[in-house]
Amino acid sequence: MEENFKMVAKTLFGFEDLLENELLQLGARDIKKGVRNVSFTGDKGFMYKSNLGLRTAIKILKPIHSFRVNSEKDLYDKIYNMNWENYLKPTGSLAIDATIHSDLFSHSLYIAQKTKDAIVDKFRDTVGQRPNVDLKFPDLKINVHIDRRQCTISLDSSGDSLHKRGYKTATNIAPINEVLAAGLVMLSGWDGQCDFMDPMCGSGTMLIEAAMIACNIPPNLMRKEFAFERWHDWDVDLFEKIEESLLKKTRDFHYKITGYDKAPSAVSKAKENVKHAQLDDFIHVQHEDFFKTQKGGEDKLHMVFNPPYGERLNIDMQEFYKSIGDTLKQSYPGTDAWFITSNLDALKHVGLRPSRKIQLFNAKLEARFVKYVMYEGSKKGKYMK
């Protein structure tokens, strides 16, 4: 039996509940929710499974040592005294990233440097050889987290952020992060039981994440590499077994997923990404200006999108957001429409009352994820049925 150990899944602000629920569904134990993270326990196979299967996780860390730290020298000594030969060969390579919330230390890069010095000095002193630093493809990626006086050293099992799913071959100017897109689709309550639309689909991220959720396809199947593949205890047979077990849980999807964009370049990029993700059976992308479209048919429609915020595009945002409200009201009855924006001023011009408003962040920008319910006929008529 593989032994269980503690892991920490990092996520975006506002997605902690989603991630906790995902971990529960995957079968994690001892789940504890934090801010932008959820900790849990599992074995090596579960570490592989969480990297492959979690939609809202950015990284899966494996803590290996925790201690109080009182000075730079104290930090250096305690890291030096760890058994690094258990994790890394003297001829191997390493990379370190650090996050600091402490009045004792102010620069994360300096802490990363100090950590690197302690590890390579230990190897040089004990075996006369030292590992090299390789920021792109290290054999071991180490995470240092200092919260006030408490320091936790973890191995980063993911490597590159898990939002890099591997299906994007083309992006536009402001592509939405895949973890953010998946989280938004999940927060919106999308369950794959009706048609889905992104009327401003850009390079197609929201559409692809929605299709993977609907079909229960593991989000990170297409990644080229996870960091744990370079670890001493990498078990390719176990990994393939886990991959196979996740693939057995995929399901059929019997509705339509549609994407519109008014930029021909975005449409061709979205089509390319959809094809690369092998989801072109489920997703249809076309060149349309949302403001000139109408909902087809009377079936329920679930809409999630990421309109421009005015950060990079030179458009009249008040008029633009008013047009969103007008189009939804006049042309999209029977629709649950969700969108995210960090332009909180322009949001006031939609002219509709949101039925939900959730605070999130898009990169460093504070944002709102809002829901508008467009009833068939009037709202009054809805309640009189």
Side-chain angles (χ1 to χ4, degrees), residues 169-181:
T169 56
T171 58
N172 54 3
I173 354 171
I176 191 168
N177 170 314
E178 291 86 327
V179 165
L180 177 59

Side-chain angles (χ1 to χ4, degrees), residues 48-59:
Y48 296 169
K49 192 180 184 182
S50 55
N51 273 284
L52 278 166
L54 291 172
R55 300 180 197 283
T56 56
I58 296 167
K59 271 191 185 306

Side-chain angles (χ1 to χ4, degrees), residues 112 119 171 210 214 372:
I119 297 169
T171 58
Y372 299 98

Side-chain angles (χ1 to χ4, degrees), residues 256-269:
K256 284 189 309 198
I257 295 178
T258 307
Y260 292 159
D261 206 285
K262 63 181 272 188
S265 60
V267 171
S268 65
K269 283 169 187 167

